Amino acid sequence: MKYVKYGLVIFLCVFSFYISDKAIIMVENMSPIMKEVKKFSDNYVEPVNAIIKDNTIIPGSNGTKLNERESYLKMNEFGTFNETFLVYDYIKPDISLYDNLDKVIVNTNKKSEVSLIVLNDTWDSYFENEKIPFTKVIKNNNNLKENGSYINGNGDSEEFNKLNSFLKKNKINSKICLVDYSNIASCKNNKYFILKPTIEINHSNIASVKKNISGGNIILLNNNLSLGEVKVIINYIRYKNLNIIDLSELIME
């Protein structure tokens, strides 16, 4: 009999919680704010799968789906509907870059953005004055900036790991490796992104190669380019209405 009573009490507690939740949801659904939120429920974006070919990959993109309840709760605090506070959940692609970190990124699916990689300090002042994001391949921790974007360019595993520890400690680790520069075995052990430039521009090919620049490209600027030639490349990118963004952002799903 005692166990029956305990069971009945537990049942009533669970049932009361169930009824309370249902009542809360019903009240929320009747709210003018929730009714406005539901009008945006069709704002669903399908995820895009990454494209894999042999050992290479082009990252896809996350989908998005409106989280009605989180949106409602956020707006209910202010007592009014505001489209700015809509909350979306991300939907991971079936074929994701994050499940294929052994593949080499050779391009991205971005339509209107590109990223730049440089090998030395030559054009730092120009990029900084023009507010142009860039990622630098480095082999030591000399003159690094807190807001800089860097790739560990040490091919030797010991030197790679030494610099990697410094970058992680100072929270300026991009977790990106570059083929032909970084120690790829160490990159794989750390589960970093591995990439190869879509386009490498140098003094001898600038005239023929720059016209191939398009959205999604990872562009490596060779050391033998002059500042004038770099400016020509930047102007051409702008002429094509492409935005230059940080490399980490470009490869993000």
Side-chain angles (χ1 to χ4, degrees), residues 115-131:
S115 289
L116 303 177
I117 299 175
V118 301
L119 302 174
N120 59 30
D121 303 333
T122 305
W123 311 300
D124 283 15
S125 296
Y126 166 68
F127 288 141
E128 289 165 4
N129 290 337
E130 293 291 318
K131 295 181 171 55

Side-chain angles (χ1 to χ4, degrees), residues 16 30 36 46 51 68 90 93-94 97 101-103 112 158 168 185-186 235 248:
S16 63
M30 293 172 61
E36 289 297 317
E46 288 277 359
I51 300 172
E68 294 181 358
Y90 288 106
D94 293 330
L97 169 65
L101 294 177
D102 59 320
K103 305 297 183 185
S112 57
E158 184 177 346
K168 289 169 67 175
S186 297
N235 288 336
S248 296

Side-chain angles (χ1 to χ4, degrees), residues 1 14 51 62 67 73 75 91 111 118 144 155 229 234:
M1 190 67 180
V14 172
I51 300 172
N62 288 321
N67 188 319
L73 292 174
M75 296 179 202
I91 305 169
K111 301 299 182 184
V118 301
L144 302 188
E229 289 171 325
I234 299 301

Side-chain angles (χ1 to χ4, degrees), residues 47-63 91-110 174-177 187-188 190-196 216 218 246-253:
V48 177
N49 285 331
I51 300 172
I52 296 176
K53 182 178 181 182
D54 299 325
N55 192 44
T56 67
I57 188 169
I58 297 175
S61 57
N62 288 321
I91 305 169
K92 183 181 174 182
D94 293 330
I95 304 174
S96 172
L97 169 65
Y98 296 91
D99 297 326
N100 295 277
L101 294 177
D102 59 320
K103 305 297 183 185
V104 179
I105 303 169
V106 292
N107 207 346
T108 74
N109 70 353
K110 303 295 192 297
S174 66
K175 298 183 179 180
I176 295 174
C177 292
C187 297
K188 290 181 176 180
N190 284 284
K191 296 184 177 180
Y192 289 171
F193 302 113
I194 303 170
L195 61 82
K196 184 177 182 179
I218 302 163
D246 187 77
L247 183 59
S248 296
E249 184 180 350
L250 186 76
I251 66 175
M252 186 182 300
E253 285 186 334

